[in-house]
Amino acid sequence: MKLEIRGLTKRFGSFTANDHIDLTIEPGEIHCLLGENGAGKSTLMNMLYGLLEPTEGEVLLDGEPVTFETPGDAMAAGIGMVHQHFMLVPVFTVAENVMLGREQTRGAGLLDRKAAADLVRELSGRYHLAVNPDALVEDLPVGVQQRVEILKALAGGAQVLILDEPTAVLTPQEIDELMGIMRELKEQGTSIIFITHKLREVKAIGDRISVIRRGKVVGTAKPTASEAELAELMVGRSVNLTVDKAHVTSGTTVLEARNITVVDPRGHQVVKDVSFEARAGEVLGIAGVQGNGQTELIKSLLGLVRPDAGEIWLDGKDISKHGPLQSLEDGIGYIPEDRSHDGYVGSFSVRENLVLDLFRNDEFSSGLALKLDAIAANARDRIAEFDIRTESADSPVSSLSGGNQQKVVVAREFSRPLKVLIASQPTRGVDVGSIEFIHKRIIEERDRGTAVIIVSTELDEIFALSDRIAVMYDGRIVGTVSPDIKREDIGLMMAGAHEPVSGGAA
Amino acid sequence: MRKTARIAAVATIAALSLAACGERPTDEPETATETPTATETEPAEQFPDFKACMVSDSGGFDDKSFNQTSHAGLEAAAEKLGVQTAEVESQSPSEFDDNIAEMVSQGCNSITTVGFLLGDATLKSAKKNKDISYSIVDFAYEKAPANVKGLTFNTAEPSFLAGYLAAAKSETGVVGTFGGLNIPTVTIFMTGFHQGVQRYNEDNGADVKVIGWDPAKPKAGSFTNDFESKTIGQQTAEEMITQGADVIFPVAGPAGLGGLQAAQDNDAWGIWVDTDGCVSAEEYCDILLTSVVKGMDVAVEQAITDAASGTFSNELYVGTLENGGVSLAEFGPNADVDDELAAELEELKAGIIDGSITVG
Amino acid sequence: MSEQTTAPKAEKEPEEQAPARARDLTSWLPTLVDSIAAVVLALVVGAVLIVFSTPRVIESLSYVFSYPLDFFEYALVAVWDGYRALFTGSMGSLGAWERTLERAAPLVCAGLGVSLAFRSGLFNIGAQGQMLLGALVAGYIGFSWDLPVGLHALVALAGALVAGGLWGAMAGVLKARTGAHEVITTIMLNYVGRFVMLYFLGKEALQRPDSDNLLSPPPADSARFPELGSLHIGVLLAVLAALAVWWLLERSTLGFEMRAVGANPDASRTAGMSVAKVYVLAMTLAGVLAGLAATMQVLGKGDSLTDQVAGTVGFDAITVALLGRATPLGTVLAGLLFGALSAGGLAMQGAAGVPPELAQVLQALIVLFVAAPALVRGIFRIRGKGEGSGVMATGWGA
């Protein structure tokens, strides 16, 4: 089925989210829609899927103009969509989820579960989507849940499949598997619209790439285009994908962890006897696959989790028993790994979030009273300094794009003198332009003499920023190496192997 | 969805049109509908210009208890005397003043307030409006103003008879009673009941025990501390039945219904209070021996009649067996009270009326 | 039909939409439009109820096809009379205004307490119990102590605030220390509060001389709130309380912490705030405000103590707070509305023909429609900001 979009426009009040978008998706094509967060990709797809009504323009299927008032209309016409946040009932089985909304019954209103299970088996056989129809969705890993979503769309007869940021929630292995599935679907004649902002992925899988910026299609590219070219199209200026940083000689030890052990509420030792030191003017990268104790380790550094054994020293002072408030006052800056969970208050304005841990300072309050003028001035300065894209300082942070939300957190942590900066996944879910900016600021902070600790599961990020790399596996630091080490070697360490001899220990 | 709604609407209209093709009662003059309480037959004396009003306490007029019974008195007065009526339900004690004032502004000639909680508010309003006759259910003033009449009830008297009857019918030799709250208007029943049982023991050399209340130990009775929860009433009664009681006398308003439920479930007898249980709690009629009736409707109707006919006085009304303000209801259908026992009860009643037996 | 989609997204990319936080109570709150729509809808349904509870209208239904105008005329007259009485009884005269204000004052105070707790992430069901304790102390000081005019009222007022505050603090401490859910503890403390009241009412010291009724003497005149005209100054205190709560929430560091903890306790803890401290403080202040509400009845109206002295104010306060979207101004407006419904409902009862329950039914309908915004939106076809957000109720998962 050939899908054409002609002059599709969507306005929200005075804001134009999509401005005369023209796209053609050929049958059996993987068409990548590349754009930064907030560029208008999702608005476009929501119009295609009947969730939003276009202000102008039309959609043609095989040359026939169509209008969708509801997602049901779109599905009936053969358009399926997999949202990033899955729309599955966790306590239902795969088969039940797939048949949801088109329940087949046998006589007397009994659900025909067997037919549904058979359908799932048939589809998963045809497209090589291994899923057990009788498994409960809540028991399945995220990657498999996504397959269920794809199955649902296929069961609805989808010939054009929209995948909205499908890789954001997946592990690297799961991403590889998804790409395999996409190729399989393509071979069977299904067209795929693949929405993402990750350059590597579009190059790996795309047949054609359309780049959207600020609601407009700004260009199309072939997958052979270089990442730098694509990034430039996407951001609208040339982007530096590597971090410029001078080599520095590291200074004195600022923060020292001695034999930290953390036991989680279920009684498992999640951090096991970890020791390291962070030095002034140096970035210590903590690499590791998600869930190997990094989260708990850095929480214990701030005092959010009390270590069950071990000591934490800051500038020659034992801070093991300090809570977050004291740790912040001691000069620890903290960028949590899940910003929406721990980093900001979504319903609070940008202005308020920028002083979330600073409002007690004399600068922003006297006695009980907040100094609103000072808080507003601070917001003005930070928004300008960190290029936070927001309608106003009054907008709730939840209305910002991921990159800008992260900039709010980063700006806040950088607005007081720091001895140590602890940043966990500082660029997760952040667009290219913002990644570049945040990385630059982290290096600037290092150059100012701050001891920086970066926790990341993305090796690219670890290599780009670190002066030394500690690798965590199963709650331990299995080795500390220099960033000259080979990617494969560090990959082995992340899987539990010990420090390679050739690695050049730091 | 929309289609269903449309079909439903069509069906409704069709049904309505079938029912609605009747004729207008054209002979009826327009004004007749404005006084719906006016009756067409004219018994005894009529006071169409008199307005009798009532303010409930926070229980409301549908409490199946004293508000409702008092309200029945107002309705009876409206029917028999042809008086106009108005009424207000209270939500909370802070509204009492306003609610009585509202009745005053409606031009009421008599205002009946229900329950001792309205004592202050009634007095306050009565002092301001000397031309209105006030009566208050379940409350007695030490010095009532000329336009306020307290309506009280010596429920110990019929409870005494009920106690005697309970003791006579008990096979286990144990009878139980419990109250809603340890307050005088409740415990007066229980005390009368207790005395009736003692009287039976004396007269017949028996040893029937009362559990749940002993007037000698006024702090130790069995109370649900709740007038609403049938469940708590049922639990309380079930405990008593486990201790051997086979007659239950609950004095706890709607919560007492739980007591009757427990009796019904366990083949025990029950005795109801305030109203005739065979009327107000029909489903339990089969296990009722009798009911101790507090004639609040009688008293309210009397107070309104007095006020309308100009014979109102501030003298405290006390409902007794003698004036019929309190009574024992007819025996339950299965109570099987033999003539001898019935005669004994009549004798006791006569004794209470002539003062040879003191109760309370 | 049963396609389970969530709110369509506007210009945002999906991953930036923070998943709805079940812990953020404020996401329950109705929008301003919801609140107004709920009130309007309740009045409409109320009108239907008036129509069909008026005997004359019902009678005219039996011949509606022969004389349709009768039905409509009677129905209109019934609705007009009922709502006119509602209006004049609540706002039609100075006296009506006074009545409305005096009934609104305790609702506003207790509602502010519920709102404050709500904004701190706590669902305070315990205003009733907190009020009872406040009333108990205010009443006892009011009739048994002998103090000069003015000072007496101040001491009784302070006593009520302290007692209510302590009662509220208990739930806060339980939550902070043990994690016990405040909904459960505050409901239980309501029961405990009632029995504490009953226990003391059973004591000689709280009963009237020569009476065993569970009814205390009224507060001494010296302990009563002074009156401006015939309006007691408790009404003024309620306004001041609203201003204070507004300042606290919007302009103070404490309020900043409360709102932050209420919206995202994890981020607040990470930002160095003490979530436990905020919980205790919020519940204490909520109790203080409920205690203030109790003084409206005892020291303002001069009610004697009974176990019903708080009426249903403590529970209505929850509705008031929700309807007012847990903001001080909203709570004041919702309190006024409920005060007006209560005062006007009285007039509706007085004017024959309207069933006494109607005012309560109106309140109940408002609650229902506030609680079911999807229904109200469906009826009014309200679209969210732009068409983009929150039109459909969120489905499952996500």
Side-chain angles (χ1 to χ4, degrees):
Chain A
M1 194 162 62
K2 181 174 169 181
L3 174 70
E4 284 170 90
I5 296 169
R6 285 197 197 149
L8 215 55
T9 300
K10 179 70 196 175
R11 295 194 191 92
F12 298 104
S14 61
F15 176 74
T16 306
N18 278 177
D19 190 0
H20 294 90
I21 302 254
D22 295 305
L23 278 182
T24 306
I25 288 97
E26 301 288 346
E29 174 186 59
I30 296 180
H31 196 119
C32 296
L33 214 52
L34 186 65
E36 286 205 273
N37 291 318
K41 299 172 301 214
S42 289
T43 306
L44 179 61
M45 291 307 117
N46 283 331
M47 284 193 286
L48 265 186
Y49 196 53
L51 284 168
L52 286 176
E53 199 185 326
T55 317
E56 279 171 38
E58 57 180 355
V59 178
L60 291 87
L61 280 178
D62 287 334
E64 293 290 313
V66 285
T67 52
F68 305 134
E69 283 185 4
T70 66
D73 295 348
M75 276 164 62
I79 294 179
M81 181 152 171
V82 175
H83 294 84
Q84 186 195 351
H85 297 290
F86 304 144
M87 315 279 167
L88 297 171
V89 185
V91 295
F92 278 15
T93 65
V94 170
E96 283 166 341
N97 268 291
V98 169
M99 76 174 167
L100 209 62
R102 49 183 156 269
E103 296 87 352
Q104 291 182 5
T105 52
R106 330 172 245 139
L110 289 171
L111 286 175
D112 196 344
R113 288 200 168 75
K114 191 173 164 298
D118 288 345
L119 176 69
V120 171
R121 274 191 206 96
E122 194 259 324
L123 286 170
S124 57
R126 184 169 2 134
Y127 296 102
H128 300 104
L129 282 158
V131 181
N132 172 10
D134 300 321
L136 287 182
V137 163
E138 63 186 353
D139 298 337
L140 298 174
V142 175
V144 181
Q145 289 191 17
Q146 191 170 55
R147 278 184 223 163
V148 178
E149 282 281 14
I150 295 173
L151 274 176
K152 251 175 71 179
L154 294 173
Q159 289 172 280
V160 177
L161 195 59
I162 304 170
L163 301 177
D164 190 1
E165 301 268 2
T167 57
V169 290
L170 301 182
T171 65
Q173 292 89 334
E174 286 173 328
I175 292 175
D176 288 345
E177 284 166 15
L178 176 68
M179 300 223 164
I181 291 168
M182 286 166 69
R183 286 192 192 97
E184 189 67 39
L185 288 168
K186 174 186 158 180
E187 263 168 42
Q188 312 247 0
T190 309
S191 320
I192 294 174
I193 303 178
F194 177 45
I195 303 175
T196 188
H197 62 257
K198 295 191 185 167
L199 304 172
R200 195 178 287 200
E201 290 167 6
V202 299
K203 279 173 63 68
I205 191 89
D207 295 321
R208 263 199 305 159
I209 301 163
S210 294
V211 182
I212 295 191
R213 190 170 75 232
R214 307 221 162 161
K216 288 182 185 156
V217 176
V218 291
T220 51
K222 294 227 165 61
T224 49
S226 75
E227 287 195 19
E229 284 173 78
L230 290 173
E232 189 172 342
L233 261 180
M234 192 161 111
V235 182
R237 60 182 164 81
S238 70
V239 179
N240 189 355
L241 290 174
T242 56
V243 184
D244 292 325
K245 56 168 186 172
H247 261 290
V248 288
T249 43
S250 53
T252 51
T253 296
V254 179
L255 182 100
E256 191 183 356
R258 294 183 190 160
N259 309 98
I260 301 285
T261 295
V262 178
V263 180
D264 76 0
R266 284 171 299 174
H268 299 303
Q269 265 198 16
V270 283
V271 178
K272 300 170 183 169
D273 195 25
V274 166
S275 302
F276 65 85
E277 71 269 13
R279 299 175 196 147
E282 179 201 66
V283 176
L284 171 69
I286 298 181
V289 178
Q290 181 84 45
N292 276 285
Q294 305 97 312
T295 307
E296 291 80 5
L297 175 65
I298 63 156
K299 279 192 171 177
S300 73
L301 295 182
L302 188 70
L304 284 165
V305 170
R306 178 82 24 105
D308 294 85
E311 291 171 358
I312 301 159
W313 290 74
L314 178 71
D315 262 358
K317 197 166 71 169
D318 184 357
I319 61 160
S320 314
K321 301 220 157 33
H322 285 190
L325 180 58
Q326 280 166 295
S327 300
L328 294 168
E329 281 172 355
D330 289 340
I332 297 182
Y334 185 80
I335 299 170
E337 69 177 47
D338 183 344
R339 60 177 166 269
S340 74
H341 194 267
D342 301 310
Y344 62 78
V345 178
S347 58
F348 270 30
S349 64
V350 171
R351 183 161 33 86
E352 289 173 311
N353 271 296
L354 282 169
V355 292
L356 201 62
D357 58 5
L358 303 168
F359 69 95
R360 303 175 198 85
N361 299 356
D362 291 342
E363 189 187 347
F364 299 117
S365 63
S366 63
L368 260 185
L370 292 169
K371 291 182 183 166
L372 295 185
D373 291 342
I375 291 172
N378 173 66
R380 259 195 316 276
D381 295 348
R382 294 291 160 268
I383 288 172
E385 183 186 350
F386 285 80
D387 188 28
I388 299 166
R389 305 270 171 85
T390 173
E391 257 178 57
S392 79
D394 278 330
S395 309
V397 164
S398 58
S399 73
L400 269 51
S401 73
N404 284 303
Q405 290 173 343
Q406 188 73 349
K407 282 187 196 167
V408 169
V409 177
V410 170
R412 181 181 73 217
E413 294 308 300
F414 283 8
S415 48
R416 60 196 161 92
L418 297 180
K419 291 180 187 156
V420 182
L421 172 69
I422 302 168
S424 186
Q425 312 290 0
T427 58
R428 178 180 280 178
V430 169
D431 51 84
V432 179
S434 303
I435 289 175
E436 183 195 14
F437 183 84
I438 291 170
H439 280 173
K440 206 175 85 200
R441 294 299 309 231
I442 289 175
I443 294 304
E444 280 173 25
E445 194 63 35
R446 177 200 76 161
D447 293 345
R448 207 171 293 148
T450 306
V452 179
I453 300 171
I454 300 288
V455 177
S456 182
T457 52
E458 303 247 355
L459 272 183
D460 287 347
E461 180 160 55
I462 290 283
F463 276 112
L465 294 174
S466 306
D467 299 310
R468 265 191 313 146
I469 303 172
V471 183
M472 272 193 93
Y473 173 74
D474 190 26
R476 298 177 198 281
I477 290 187
V478 291
T480 306
V481 296
S482 121
D484 310 333
I485 191 173
K486 277 186 272 174
R487 256 185 123 89
E488 305 85 86
D489 288 342
I490 214 164
L492 283 172
M493 288 171 76
M494 283 164 75
H498 277 278
E499 199 170 331
V501 194
S502 64
Chain B
M1 274 297 282
R2 277 180 220 150
K3 222 174 250 173
T4 332
R6 231 174 269 151
I7 292 168
V10 170
T12 315
I13 291 167
L16 222 97
S17 57
L18 284 176
C21 293
E23 274 297 301
R24 171 162 63 175
T26 41
D27 53 333
E28 215 172 36
E30 279 289 312
T31 48
T33 48
E34 282 177 10
T35 49
T37 47
T39 48
E40 281 162 42
T41 53
E42 301 220 342
E45 211 175 341
Q46 290 287 296
F47 304 94
D49 296 331
F50 189 86
K51 192 163 189 179
C53 303
M54 186 173 270
V55 177
S56 80
D57 86 347
S58 44
F61 289 126
D62 54 356
D63 64 349
K64 292 197 194 290
S65 183
F66 61 102
N67 282 301
Q68 191 164 4
T69 312
S70 306
H71 191 247
L74 178 71
E75 285 172 338
E79 185 153 332
K80 288 191 193 145
L81 308 173
V83 297
Q84 303 168 38
T85 61
E87 63 202 42
V88 174
E89 286 188 359
S90 305
Q91 301 301 316
S92 75
S94 64
E95 295 176 5
F96 292 155
D97 286 334
D98 288 346
N99 292 356
I100 297 174
E102 174 68 21
M103 293 291 86
V104 171
S105 72
Q106 294 284 323
C108 298
N109 303 97
S110 85
I111 298 175
T112 306
T113 57
V114 186
F116 73 88
L117 291 177
L118 283 104
D120 291 345
T122 307
L123 189 64
K124 220 186 288 175
S125 178
K127 282 182 179 161
K128 269 189 252 169
N129 304 285
K130 305 250 185 239
D131 50 337
I132 300 176
S133 307
Y134 290 82
S135 49
I136 174 164
V137 175
D138 265 350
F139 196 71
Y141 293 99
E142 250 177 277
K143 270 190 238 153
N147 60 334
V148 184
K149 189 180 191 70
L151 308 174
T152 60
F153 303 88
N154 190 356
T155 47
E157 291 181 2
S159 297
F160 181 92
L161 301 178
Y164 190 94
L165 173 61
K169 296 300 288 186
S170 173
E171 287 170 14
T172 57
V174 182
V175 296
T177 180
F178 63 89
L181 262 185
N182 193 345
I183 53 173
T185 43
V186 167
T187 53
I188 184 175
F189 284 90
M190 299 160 80
T191 299
F193 182 79
H194 187 271
Q195 286 173 342
V197 173
Q198 304 317 317
R199 174 69 186 222
Y200 178 84
N201 289 344
E202 282 166 31
D203 286 3
N204 300 284
D207 186 24
V208 178
K209 284 199 183 66
V210 180
I211 51 177
W213 181 246
D214 181 350
K217 297 176 196 157
K219 294 287 170 197
S222 179
F223 295 95
T224 55
N225 286 318
D226 191 314
F227 283 102
E228 304 304 324
S229 167
K230 212 179 146 178
T231 319
I232 300 179
Q234 189 166 348
Q235 287 166 357
T236 311
E238 267 164 6
E239 274 168 39
M240 294 182 159
I241 290 168
T242 341
Q243 293 171 53
D246 62 351
V247 183
I248 299 294
F249 182 53
V251 193
L257 289 172
L260 297 188
Q261 182 69 51
Q264 198 171 45
D265 294 347
N266 293 284
D267 286 330
W269 292 109
I271 297 175
W272 190 234
V273 290
D274 283 354
T275 55
D276 184 352
C278 278
V279 176
S280 58
E282 217 179 330
E283 63 272 35
Y284 301 114
C285 189
D286 58 328
I287 54 110
L288 286 183
L289 287 175
T290 181
S291 302
V292 172
V293 178
K294 186 170 164 183
M296 289 168 283
D297 48 347
V298 179
V300 168
E301 187 187 339
Q302 189 58 49
I304 294 171
T305 311
D306 289 349
S309 58
T311 55
F312 184 87
S313 79
N314 67 347
E315 195 191 327
L316 181 68
Y317 172 91
V318 182
T320 59
L321 287 174
E322 187 173 12
N323 64 14
V326 292
S327 59
L328 209 56
E330 266 183 58
F331 300 123
N334 304 322
D336 195 23
V337 176
D338 57 33
D339 293 346
E340 195 187 336
L341 182 53
E344 280 169 35
L345 289 170
E346 278 305 316
E347 211 175 296
L348 290 168
K349 181 181 172 185
I352 293 170
I353 290 174
D354 69 22
S356 60
I357 301 171
T358 47
V359 180
Chain C
M1 207 193 107
S2 53
E3 175 54 28
Q4 55 286 0
T5 45
T6 45
K9 301 160 211 73
E11 61 271 32
K12 283 183 285 168
E13 297 289 316
E15 72 177 14
E16 296 132 27
Q17 290 191 324
R21 262 167 202 291
R23 301 167 76 173
D24 185 356
L25 283 176
T26 50
S27 61
W28 292 15
L29 291 176
T31 65
L32 179 64
V33 182
D34 287 341
S35 291
I36 293 170
V39 173
V40 171
L41 203 58
L43 287 174
V44 171
V45 176
V48 174
L49 291 178
I50 292 177
V51 165
F52 288 101
S53 60
T54 307
R56 188 165 74 148
V57 178
I58 299 295
E59 276 167 40
S60 72
L61 258 187
S62 63
Y63 52 85
V64 68
F65 281 92
S66 317
Y67 300 91
L69 283 182
D70 273 15
F71 169 74
F72 291 108
E73 183 197 333
Y74 294 161
L76 276 179
V77 167
V79 172
W80 171 252
D81 283 352
Y83 282 153
R84 193 183 51 189
L86 183 66
F87 181 77
T88 53
S90 56
M91 286 174 280
S93 65
L94 191 62
W97 268 104
E98 282 172 3
R99 202 177 267 177
T100 296
L101 290 176
E102 287 195 347
R103 291 190 178 193
L107 286 169
V108 168
C109 294
L112 285 169
V114 177
S115 295
L116 190 69
F118 209 92
R119 294 291 286 279
S120 311
L122 297 168
F123 208 162
N124 171 25
I125 311 288
Q128 188 78 7
Q130 294 148 16
M131 275 185 76
L132 281 173
L133 266 288
L136 181 63
V137 172
Y140 182 74
I141 295 176
F143 66 74
S144 71
W145 292 16
D146 196 10
L147 292 170
V149 179
L151 180 66
H152 198 175
L154 276 179
V155 172
L157 173 66
L161 301 189
V162 170
L166 287 176
W167 207 250
M170 279 208 269
V173 170
L174 284 171
K175 170 101 176 176
R177 281 283 167 86
T178 69
H181 201 284
E182 75 280 1
V183 168
I184 295 174
T185 54
T186 52
I187 288 176
M188 291 303 150
L189 284 170
N190 283 344
Y191 284 108
V192 179
R194 182 166 162 252
F195 287 118
V196 167
M197 177 62 103
L198 280 173
Y199 174 81
F200 281 108
L201 285 174
K203 298 281 164 197
E204 283 295 322
L206 268 87
Q207 288 174 349
R208 300 181 176 200
D210 307 320
S211 159
D212 281 338
N213 282 327
L214 300 183
L215 180 70
S216 80
D221 285 342
S222 57
R224 295 283 301 277
F225 285 153
E227 295 190 347
L228 304 165
S230 55
L231 201 63
H232 65 75
I233 60 146
V235 174
L236 200 63
L237 291 182
V239 175
L240 292 178
L243 285 173
V245 169
W246 173 82
W247 188 87
L248 181 74
L249 279 175
E250 303 297 332
R251 290 286 182 269
S252 79
T253 53
L254 271 182
F256 188 86
E257 289 195 51
M258 288 176 159
R259 287 186 292 121
V261 167
N264 188 342
D266 295 305
S268 304
R269 189 179 294 117
T270 306
M273 302 178 197
S274 165
V275 175
K277 182 190 87 179
V278 165
Y279 283 160
V280 174
L281 194 71
M283 282 308 298
T284 307
L285 289 176
V288 166
L289 286 161
L292 180 64
T295 65
M296 305 291 153
Q297 318 286 58
V298 178
L299 307 177
K301 309 250 349 167
D303 286 352
S304 305
L305 296 183
T306 69
D307 65 324
Q308 291 163 29
V309 68
T312 56
V313 169
F315 297 114
D316 293 342
I318 299 167
T319 317
V320 165
L322 291 182
L323 188 64
R325 308 176 58 228
T327 63
L329 178 63
T331 306
V332 168
L333 293 177
L336 278 174
L337 175 71
F338 273 47
L341 279 176
S342 169
L346 174 59
M348 278 207 295
Q349 287 184 58
V354 178
E357 289 83 4
L358 193 86
Q360 290 154 263
V361 170
L362 283 179
Q363 291 187 5
L365 285 170
I366 292 172
V367 178
L368 185 70
F369 292 136
V370 164
L375 176 68
V376 176
R377 285 181 187 176
I379 290 169
F380 282 101
R381 306 260 159 188
I382 298 169
R383 290 270 163 151
K385 313 149 203 163
E387 290 179 73
S389 61
V391 177
M392 284 172 252
T394 312
W396 322 312

